[in-house]
Structures are given as structure tokens and as C-alpha cells.
């Protein structure tokens, strides 16, 4: 590892500090170096707050003149919640800027780099680009595909079951695994579940058992026929404005109005047969400025996302248990694939042990 990569890894580490609160902005870290010594570092802590470059510049002060700035993502060049970072970088007097990745946002892409070079600042691009892009996989997907980033989270037995034949599923995974799931929710804009699972699991879809601050994610229920009862556990929240129910246009008008009157967001979504269109679901979620969604089941909903080829990441918690039974619920339903050669291949797979469970995290590609 060379010097530039070493410092960029430090900036990437700093950027992690914004994982819970920076979205919908990307996570960005910055490190200022002069004469081989680190002067200061900073990161984008929360949406609307100072960006990483500005935070680091404020700490280093006049020492920035002639120094090198390492920043994981190209400095922004337009005014949003804060002034353009590139102006602060130029004003600080840096002689060199090392950039991890070019900003994929069309409004910024390449503009900041051109402004820096026009100001006479040396710019190096692409140091640990792939690492930066992976860290900001949500942001890159939003900009490049124009839709939310989709993670499928499932807790299953060793034989791939997510519930018994009676529908009972508590608890397949360990308490340690469930804590990881709540951290995943805390870093996401929305948690999505099918109405059957919502009822059977008495789901709350909230965040529990972790410390610190986070943004409360939207609770999204896929309910084509508006079957969710008014006494459902998820509706006992006093923040009905954070609940979204997606249903067919033909669903009951009276119940639709009652839920709306309670402050719940109920939206009609285009259907495909007896199911809702997954693309239409993601399009509707985008209207709420939802950039990332964790799909937590059930089997049919998960299968529909795979059938639509709209799963970006999987996070499967596998417990050392055997449930068995032809009627017990398999992890991924839907239509599935017609032959093995067309199966989803999971790339960049990482397997870690959490409690007594193993967690499989990777990125699916279908042939």
C-alpha cells in the first residue's frame, strides 16, 4: 500500500461516522496532510451539516496553505444545504487534492475537479475508487439507476426455512443477529414487509437494542387488498406519517380513507396480476425521498424482488437449526428461475459469525 492509499483509507474510515445520519447525502471523509504529517480530518456527520472538507479545513486553519487534501468523493460544486465545498478548498490554499471517486451526481460530476484545476491546484483522481464506491453503494445506485438501493434481509434455518408450517418464526436467528438487523435498519431510509408477514410476526419495524442517534426509517407495508387490521402492532406507533401502505387501486375505499385520516400514507400502486409491480413500488418510494430500503419478507415479496431483478444486496442470517417440512416456508418464493445456469450468482460474498449464526452478505447478479 502506497502513501496515498494509506491516507485515503484513513479518510474512508472517517467517512463511516456518517453512515447513520448523512443520507440521503453520501458518506465522505477528508484528511489534510502537510510534509508527510496529518494535520486534521473530518467527515460529513449529518444531512444538512458541514461537509467533510469544510470540517477538516476548519480544524487545520491557516496550515492548509500548501498542504494536500485527501477526500473520498469529489468536492461538490453547487449550493445545496451548504455552500459549494470546492470554493472552500480553493480559498484554503491547498496545493494538491487527492480524490477517491468522481461524484456520480450529474449536477456535480467532474465540475469540482475542473474548478480545482482551473485554480492551479494539482488533482489526483481514483485512489481506492472501488472502495469508496462500495462504501457509498446506496448513493451510486441512486445516481446511476435512478431508484432506491434494495437490500434483502432474511433470517433462516440451515435448510433455508424462514418459518414453520404454522407460520411461526420467532426466533430463528440469535439475539446478536437481531442487534445487527436493527443497526441495518438504522442506516436505511425504509424497512419493507408484506402484509401477511406483518400480521403473523406482529411486526413493529422499529429500531431497538442499539445506542446512538439515527433517522427513523419509513415502515412500508405491501398490502394489495388492504388487509392490515386497524389493531396491527405496526399501526400502534404514534408516528403514522412514517408509515407507508402500498395497495391496489381496487382496494377498499372506506378503509383507505380511514387510514389516511389517521395520518398513514396510503398509496395506490400499479399492479401486475394479483401482485403489485416492484418497479412501481420503488418509483412510489422515491417520491418520499427514500434512497435505500431493506426488504424483510415474507417469502413471496422477496421472491418478487428477485423475479424483477431488483435486488442490489443480500444479507442472510443463517442459524444452525433445521426446521424441515414440505409446508414450512422457504426463504425466497416467487416464480424463481427455470434452470440452474440462470441462477443468481452472489459476488463479493463475505461470511461472518454473529453469535451462533453466520451472516452471508453479497451482491447478486443473474445471467
Amino acid at each position: 500500500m502506497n502513501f496515498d492509499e494509506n491516507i485515503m483509507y484513513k479518510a474512508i474510515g472517517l467517512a463511516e461516522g456518517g453512515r447513520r445520519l448523512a443520507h440521503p447525502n453520501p458518506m465522505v471523509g477528508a484528511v489534510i496532510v502537510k510534509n508527510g504529517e496529518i494535520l486534521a480530518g473530518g467527515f460529513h456527520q449529518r444531512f444538512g451539516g458541514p461537509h467533510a472538507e469544510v470540517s477538516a479545513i476548519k480544524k487545520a486553519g491557516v496550515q492548509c496553505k500548501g498542504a494536500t487534501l485527501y477526500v473520498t468523493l469529489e468536492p461538490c460544486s453547487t449550493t445545496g444545504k451548504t455552500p459549494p465545498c470546492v470554493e472552500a478548498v480553493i480559498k484554503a490554499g491547498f496545493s494538491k487534492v487527492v480524490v477517491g471517486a468522481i461524484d456520480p451526481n450529474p449536477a456535480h460530476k467532474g465540475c469540482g475537479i475542473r474548478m480545482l484545476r482551473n485554480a492551479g491546484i494539482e488533482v489526483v483522481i481514483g485512489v481506492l475508487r472501488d472502495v469508496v464506491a462500495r462504501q457509498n453503494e446506496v448513493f451510486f445506485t441512486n445516481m446511476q439507476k435512478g431508484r432506491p438501493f434494495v437490500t434483502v434481509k432474511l433470517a433462516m434455518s440451515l435448510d433455508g426455512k424462514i418459518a414453520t408450517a404454522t407460520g411461526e418464526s420467532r426466533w430463528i436467528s440469535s439475539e446478536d443477529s437481531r442487534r445487527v438487523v436493527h443497526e441495518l435498519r438504522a442506516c436505511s431510509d425504509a424497512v419493507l414487509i408484506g402484509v401477511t408477514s406483518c400480521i403473523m410476526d406482529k411486526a413493529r419495524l422499529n429500531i431497538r437494542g442499539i445506542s446512538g442517534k439515527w433517522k427513523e426509517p419509513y415502515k412500508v407495508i405491501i398490502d394489495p387488498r388492504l388487509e392490515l387490521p386497524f389493531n396491527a402492532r405496526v399501526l400502534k406507533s404514534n408516528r403514522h406519517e412514517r408509515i407507508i401502505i402500498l395497495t391496489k387501486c381496487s382496494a377498499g375505499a372506506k378503509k383507505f380513507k380511514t387510514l389516511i385520516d389517521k395520518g398513514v400514507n396510503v398509496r395506490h400502486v400499479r399492479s401486475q396480476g394479483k401482485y403489485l409491480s416492484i418497479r412501481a413500488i420503488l418509483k412510489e418510494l422515491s417520491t418520499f425521498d427514500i434512497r435505500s430500503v431493506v426488504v424483510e419478507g415474507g417469502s413471496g415479496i422477496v421472491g418478487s424482488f428477485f423475479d424483477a431483478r431488483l435486488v442490489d444486496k443480500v444479507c442472510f442470517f443463517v442459524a444452525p437449526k433445521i426446521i424441515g417440512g414440505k409446508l414450512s416456508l422457504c426463504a425466497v418464493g416467487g416464480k424463481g428461475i427455470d434452470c440452474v445456469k440462470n441462477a443468481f450468482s452472489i459476488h463479493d460474498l463475505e461470511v461472518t459469525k454473529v453469535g451462533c449464526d453466520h451472516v452471508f452478505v453479497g451482491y447478486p447478479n443473474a445471467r
Side-chain angles (χ1 to χ4, degrees):
M1 185 187 306
N2 61 37
F3 183 81
D4 281 355
E5 290 174 339
N6 182 50
I7 301 299
M8 189 61 72
Y9 266 121
K10 293 182 184 299
I12 290 168
L14 287 174
E16 278 297 315
R19 182 166 290 277
R20 285 190 188 176
L21 297 175
H23 58 99
N25 280 351
M27 291 173 278
V28 182
V31 174
I32 297 172
V33 174
K34 194 171 188 178
N35 299 324
E37 299 291 329
I38 294 176
L39 299 180
F43 66 96
H44 184 37
Q45 297 185 36
R46 59 179 178 82
F47 179 63
H51 287 195
E53 304 94 319
V54 173
S55 177
I57 289 169
K58 187 175 181 180
K59 293 175 185 176
V62 296
Q63 296 181 85
C64 292
K65 189 172 181 62
T68 298
L69 171 68
Y70 290 79
V71 61
T72 58
L73 199 66
E74 174 186 1
C76 64
S77 55
T78 59
T79 300
K81 292 284 185 181
T82 61
C85 291
V86 69
E87 293 181 0
V89 173
I90 293 171
K91 184 178 180 181
F94 289 102
S95 61
K96 182 179 178 181
V97 175
V98 180
V99 176
I102 295 175
D103 193 332
N105 186 341
H108 300 159
K109 190 175 183 179
C111 295
I113 290 169
R114 285 194 296 272
M115 292 173 69
L116 292 171
R117 286 174 170 163
N118 288 340
I121 298 172
E122 180 187 354
V123 181
V124 176
I125 306 168
V127 177
L128 299 181
R129 182 207 173 279
D130 291 344
V131 180
V132 173
R134 178 53 54 82
Q135 182 179 52
N136 281 296
E137 57 196 9
V138 170
F139 185 70
F140 274 68
T141 296
N142 298 159
M143 294 298 124
Q144 294 170 348
K145 298 185 179 180
R147 61 166 176 80
F149 183 89
V150 176
T151 300
V152 167
K153 187 281 302 179
L154 289 173
M156 69 184 74
S157 61
L158 198 58
D159 56 338
K161 305 294 186 179
I162 61 172
T164 66
T166 63
E168 199 269 332
S169 62
R170 291 192 174 185
W171 293 101
I172 291 176
S173 59
S174 67
E175 185 176 348
D176 291 326
S177 289
R178 296 197 295 275
R179 193 174 298 111
V180 174
V181 170
H182 286 284
E183 179 62 38
L184 178 61
R185 289 180 178 180
C187 298
S188 303
D189 290 330
V191 181
L192 184 149
I193 194 171
V195 65
T196 302
S197 295
C198 189
I199 296 170
M200 293 292 293
D201 296 345
K202 299 179 180 178
R204 285 180 280 178
L205 303 182
N206 60 2
I207 297 170
R208 308 180 299 278
I210 61 174
S211 59
K213 296 180 179 180
W214 58 81
K215 297 177 184 177
E216 188 68 26
Y218 281 98
K219 304 168 184 180
V220 183
I221 300 102
I222 306 303
D223 188 1
R225 294 182 294 275
L226 277 186
E227 298 173 295
L228 189 71
F230 290 124
N231 64 350
R233 201 174 188 184
V234 71
L235 292 177
K236 292 180 180 179
S237 163
N238 59 3
R239 296 195 65 189
H240 284 168
E241 76 280 1
R242 302 297 290 180
I243 300 173
I244 302 171
I245 298 178
L246 301 180
T247 188
K248 285 185 176 183
C249 295
S250 58
K254 184 177 179 181
K255 193 170 187 179
F256 185 99
K257 183 180 184 304
T258 302
L259 288 166
I260 290 287
D261 290 343
K262 288 178 177 289
V264 177
N265 299 288
V266 189
R267 297 289 188 270
H268 288 137
V269 173
R270 176 171 54 85
S271 59
Q272 288 182 323
K274 61 180 180 178
Y275 302 109
L276 301 184
S277 162
I278 300 301
R279 290 191 181 278
I281 286 171
L282 294 180
K283 185 176 181 180
E284 186 62 40
L285 295 184
S286 294
T287 67
F288 290 86
D289 203 24
I290 290 172
R291 310 294 182 92
S292 60
V293 56
V294 179
V295 178
E296 296 198 3
S299 177
I301 294 293
V302 169
S304 294
F305 271 89
F306 275 105
D307 289 343
R309 305 296 191 262
L310 288 171
V311 178
D312 298 300
K313 187 175 185 178
V314 296
C315 188
F316 287 1
F317 295 79
V318 180
K321 301 173 182 177
I322 300 294
I323 291 177
K326 290 183 178 180
L327 299 180
S328 54
L329 204 57
C330 69
V332 182
K335 295 178 181 178
I337 50 97
D338 52 359
C339 55
V340 173
K341 71 176 183 179
N342 293 327
F344 286 87
S345 298
I346 307 301
H347 298 277
D348 298 333
L349 182 67
E350 293 185 3
V351 184
T352 56
K353 199 167 188 294
V354 177
C356 60
D357 304 330
H358 283 83
V359 186
F360 292 75
V361 178
Y363 302 83
N365 282 336
R367 291 190 61 178

